[in-house]
Amino acid sequence: MAYNARRSRLLGRGGTYLGVVALAAFVLGPVVWLVTTSLKPRSEVFASPPRLLPSHLTFQNYGDVLTSDTLQFFVNSVIVCLGTTVMCVLLSLLACYTLTRTGSRGRKPILIGVLASQLLPQAVLLVPLYKAADTMGLLNSRFGLMVAYLTFTLPVAIWLLRGFLMAIPFDLEEAARIDGLSEFAAYWRVIVPLSRPGIAAVAIYVFFMAWQDFMYALVFLTDDSKRTLPLGVLSLIGSHTIEWGQLMAVSTLLLIPILLVFSFAQRYFIAGITAGAVKG
């Protein structure tokens, strides 16, 4: 009996490890293929049979795509993503003040409306957003693109931050108000600094969503000098040929900021997500 139980445990553990390895291969396999293809010469991209690792390592594809235009696309992406992140965090903090720290009526309908807004596909919002941006003169501008990104990042940011703020004791604000602070000052100077993990989680989420967007940038930006980096990838896809090596090189460059941001703020992101999921 003991032998059978031990054998069952070993088999179960082995099955678990095998499943983890298979899942890791499924998730990381395309990324590895992306990076290795960017390091292959053009003659090896379509080699038969295909090879994972290049026989002749080359950085020519990166040299071909690292031009002044690509640098401008990168700068545009950074400006848009950072601007969207700052705007979204500030607006969500102000919204959460009303939804968590005041006794105003209608909080539940507002939260339901915020959640319902996420049920609509992003493509459905493109036409009304385009017309609104055209009316307000925000087309073909980085600020207009930031505002458009808020339509699908702000609702999630509000829900995440609300769950985190609800877990912070109200006694802290009451103590700050006894010391002479106003209600909003107590929230801004006491509660907001304690919400740094939640704010970091929201900031990372918003940055990721804005960084990888292609559809909204394609619709709202027409000037080449204002294009973001995902739109720069489009220029490598021609009518008759596709420069796969260069395409993979740009895609690899797109991954680097995401990996850097997540590696530095991973613990804040996980803490904010779990705290927002516990209560709220």
Side-chain angles (χ1 to χ4, degrees):
M1 295 293 293
Y3 173 77
N4 291 333
R6 183 181 179 184
R7 182 181 179 183
S8 298
R9 287 196 300 269
L10 290 176
L11 289 176
R13 186 176 300 175
T16 301
Y17 290 155
L18 183 61
V20 171
V21 171
L23 180 61
F26 178 78
V27 174
L28 298 178
V31 179
V32 174
W33 186 267
L34 173 77
V35 176
T36 56
T37 302
S38 68
L39 298 174
K40 294 178 182 178
R42 188 173 185 180
S43 59
E44 294 188 20
V45 173
F46 297 101
S48 182
R51 288 173 291 189
L52 177 62
L53 299 177
S55 58
H56 301 286
L57 193 66
T58 178
F59 292 93
Q60 183 62 40
N61 294 318
Y62 290 92
D64 293 337
V65 299
L66 288 176
T67 61
S68 58
D69 291 337
T70 304
L71 181 60
Q72 183 63 48
F73 297 154
F74 180 83
V75 171
N76 292 336
S77 291
V78 171
I79 293 174
V80 170
C81 293
L82 290 180
T84 304
T85 301
V86 172
M87 291 170 58
C88 189
V89 169
L90 290 177
L91 290 175
S92 58
L93 284 173
L94 294 175
C96 287
Y97 169 72
T98 302
L99 296 175
T100 63
R101 257 52 194 179
T102 63
S104 59
R105 297 179 180 180
R107 287 186 294 178
K108 287 187 177 180
I110 292 175
L111 288 172
I112 294 175
V114 170
L115 181 61
S117 66
Q118 291 300 101
L119 301 178
L120 295 174
Q122 295 181 13
V124 176
L125 301 175
L126 273 177
V127 174
L129 283 176
Y130 183 88
K131 290 185 176 180
D134 188 21
T135 302
M136 294 183 291
L138 295 177
L139 283 181
N140 197 31
S141 69
R142 289 187 285 259
F143 179 74
L145 185 59
M146 296 178 197
V147 175
Y149 284 161
L150 292 177
T151 59
F152 59 86
T153 57
L154 187 57
V156 178
I158 292 174
W159 269 95
L160 288 176
L161 268 182
R162 178 183 177 272
F164 191 88
L165 290 171
M166 290 293 291
I168 298 178
F170 287 83
D171 297 340
L172 298 175
E173 286 171 282
E174 294 178 359
R177 295 183 65 183
I178 292 175
D179 290 338
L181 293 179
S182 64
E183 186 176 355
F184 182 77
Y187 170 77
W188 196 258
R189 297 176 60 178
V190 176
I191 302 303
V192 171
L194 293 175
S195 307
R196 284 179 294 181
I199 294 173
V202 169
I204 294 172
Y205 166 79
V206 174
F207 186 88
F208 285 178
M209 294 298 293
W211 184 264
Q212 68 183 1
D213 174 74
F214 174 82
M215 181 172 58
Y216 275 63
L218 180 64
V219 172
F220 282 83
L221 299 177
T222 57
D223 191 351
D224 291 341
S225 63
K226 298 179 181 178
R227 286 189 169 189
T228 56
L229 194 55
L231 290 182
V233 177
L234 186 63
S235 63
L236 300 175
I237 302 177
S239 302
H240 305 286
T241 60
I242 299 177
E243 296 294 339
W244 287 105
Q246 299 178 18
L247 187 63
M248 297 300 105
V250 174
S251 301
T252 302
L253 295 176
L254 271 169
L255 289 176
I256 293 177
I258 296 178
L259 295 177
L260 291 176
V261 170
F262 190 79
S263 61
F264 283 113
Q266 179 181 4
R267 59 192 182 101
Y268 296 106
F269 180 76
I270 296 175
I273 291 293
T274 54
V278 171
K279 185 177 181 181

